[in-house]
Amino acid sequence: MQSGLSRIVRNLAALERGSTNRVLNLMAVAATHGDTKEYRQAPLFDSPVLNRSIFLKHRVRTDEAHLFVNPKPVALKVIVPFDSSDLRVGGKSIFYGQRSCAVIIRQVGNYGDKTPARDLATLQLLDSLPSLDPFLLREQFRGHGISVADCYLEISRADK
């Protein structure tokens, strides 16, 4: 008999390899490009915490719908790893659009006296998209005036 807990507990290590159309793994981007000038000069998020997090398009389950004022079938889930060197330890997760989302992002993002407005706008854009495909992201970022380093999008020069 399988316990209900196995449905709740997920192994984040399965997300550590990189990005897909459903997963934007900024932890992997930071590990690969974090020491580069390009990465430091044009980060996707102002918050270093968000800039090392994992984002995914998540199908909202029935038992998660109460978190939202207006539940929707798919939401952007932000996973902030507890330990970026060992994802088996887990992380804190937040849905963009859940109740008190801006307050939680401000707390988790460690903004201090700075405003999270740019990061919240970026999260809203990611949430509004049907996927996290790098081509789609690149065009949407350009169209919304969000300048980010190419390392976040992993598109080959030939594909560009």
Side-chain angles (χ1 to χ4, degrees):
M1 180 174 184
Q2 191 172 358
S3 77
L5 186 60
S6 64
R7 185 176 184 278
I8 297 168
V9 176
R10 303 276 188 250
N11 186 349
L12 295 181
L15 300 174
E16 102 184 299
R17 296 186 217 282
S19 297
T20 67
N21 286 343
R22 206 179 134 252
V23 177
L24 179 61
N25 185 339
L26 298 189
M27 189 186 75
V29 173
T32 305
H33 302 283
D35 293 334
T36 66
K37 182 179 176 181
E38 175 191 39
Y39 177 88
R40 289 189 306 274
Q41 288 183 336
L44 181 54
F45 292 99
D46 290 335
S47 166
V49 173
L50 289 182
N51 232 17
R52 293 178 175 271
S53 295
I54 299 170
F55 302 81
L56 57 109
K57 289 294 186 170
H58 175 83
R59 184 183 54 80
V60 177
R61 297 179 183 94
T62 306
D63 61 335
E64 297 166 332
H66 74 280
L67 296 171
F68 298 87
V69 174
N70 298 310
K72 52 190 179 178
V74 177
L76 180 70
K77 187 173 192 175
V78 181
I79 301 171
V80 180
F82 292 136
D83 180 352
S84 61
S85 65
D86 186 3
L87 286 179
R88 292 175 297 170
V89 175
K92 177 173 182 60
S93 66
I94 308 143
F95 289 110
Y96 179 81
Q98 77 178 55
R99 298 172 198 274
S100 303
C101 175
V103 172
I104 297 167
I105 293 294
R106 180 179 256 301
Q107 291 170 347
V108 170
N110 296 329
Y111 291 92
D113 293 337
K114 297 179 183 176
T115 176
R118 179 182 178 271
D119 288 356
L120 288 170
T122 302
L123 288 168
Q124 192 282 323
L125 177 63
L126 293 174
D127 182 60
S128 72
L129 299 173
S131 80
L132 298 173
D133 174 78
F135 292 101
L136 179 60
L137 292 179
R138 182 185 66 183
E139 294 308 311
Q140 291 297 314
F141 290 157
R142 283 183 183 168
H144 288 85
I146 300 172
S147 177
V148 300
D150 285 341
C151 62
Y152 288 98
L153 303 175
E154 295 186 357
I155 301 172
S156 72
R157 290 181 196 256
D159 286 338
K160 287 181 190 177

